[in-house]
Amino acid sequence: MADESVAGSADFPVKRPREEEENGSAAAASAVSMEPDGGKEPDSVSAVIPGWFSEISSMWPGEAHSLKIEKILFQGKSDYQNVMVFQSATYGKVLVLDGVIQLTERDECAYQEMITHLPLCSIPNPKKVLVIGGGDGGVLREVARYSSVEKIDICEIDKMVIDVSKQFFPEVAIGYEDPRVTLHVGDGVAFLKAVPAGTYDAVIVDSSDPIGPAKELFEKPFFQTVANALRPGGVVCTQAESIWLHMHIIEDIVANCREIFKGSVNYAWTTVPTYPSGVIGFMLCSTEGTAVDFKHPVNSIDESKRPLRFYNSEIHTAAFCLPSFAKKVIDAKAK
């Protein structure tokens, strides 16, 4: 996920503990020493606790998740966003876009495997798959497990994300090496509009948060464009925010999808420790045609080259079991 902006830590003044006051200059020196090539620290590097990354955003006001930084490996600004990679003390390397964590080496499997296998295990023999976003290559890596797949298109707007992922996250970006993959660098909405109707068996939308350029990916016209690109009985899985933070957004997504997708419409979720609130959700929908039962997988997954770290058939079914407060809101939109 990505966000439009991150509030600077200077907005949250905190009195230093006595031992930090006494060692203030040493702490400041430690923070500076992590900067690559002597560059300026990004706003997301905490000034309150030197040497830590803090994810602060208007999308989750009043809270922040922090990771201890061992070394900042990359800082850059693309045409679309700020990009940073750092080595954390507990989650391996971390990719950050506009101050918001996209993945860590330790828990990326909980997101990449679920957003891919929830839809692709729900239909027999998927052949043509489109990934919107997902520039790190993790979804491609998981789609490539399916021998039935003949063509994998990916449309990612930010080439810097692709290049940085290949450099620092080769075990994730390995998906780009599959010969079935065709990369399109550009706007995903425009790409979809140019796609002939009924082209894909599945579309996976690995989007950022609905702020700034990604806002369009959460609106009704986009879902209609996705539906047009799918064959009858085709499926879409899109990142759909956190039940703990964004039920108002989820409510709108469900309402829009129920109007557009005449097959099945479901919400599922997974745990990702380094995402805000520790959970993230997925909207899974199918077009009118062959019925799709998202809750009961029909495909097996090839683990011969790379074992799964998170997904299994039991967790697939469990992902659709919602807590009562979320189930009440989502089920209400079915009426």
Side-chain angles (χ1 to χ4, degrees), residues 85-162:
V85 178
F86 68 86
Q87 181 71 42
S88 72
T90 51
Y91 279 83
K93 290 194 288 290
V94 181
L95 174 64
V96 179
L97 301 181
D98 277 349
V100 177
I101 292 174
Q102 305 302 299
L103 65 86
T104 79
E105 288 182 306
R106 181 179 176 187
D107 66 7
E108 56 88 8
C109 58
Y111 179 82
Q112 314 277 20
E113 292 181 14
M114 292 294 277
I115 197 173
T116 305
H117 302 312
L118 288 177
L120 294 188
C121 275
S122 299
I123 56 174
N125 302 314
K127 289 180 169 50
K128 295 181 179 180
V129 179
L130 170 64
V131 180
I132 299 291
D136 53 69
V139 173
L140 296 178
R141 180 192 66 196
E142 297 305 315
V143 175
R145 292 181 184 272
Y146 294 82
S147 58
S148 65
V149 171
E150 300 169 354
K151 182 176 177 57
I152 309 170
D153 286 328
I154 177 170
C155 188
E156 162 64 49
I157 198 168
D158 196 338
K159 190 173 184 299
M160 182 180 285
V161 172
I162 298 169

Side-chain angles (χ1 to χ4, degrees), residues 14-27:
V14 175
K15 181 175 174 59
R16 283 179 179 270
R18 184 179 302 275
E19 63 271 19
E20 286 192 23
E21 288 178 354
E22 293 172 353
N23 298 295
S25 59

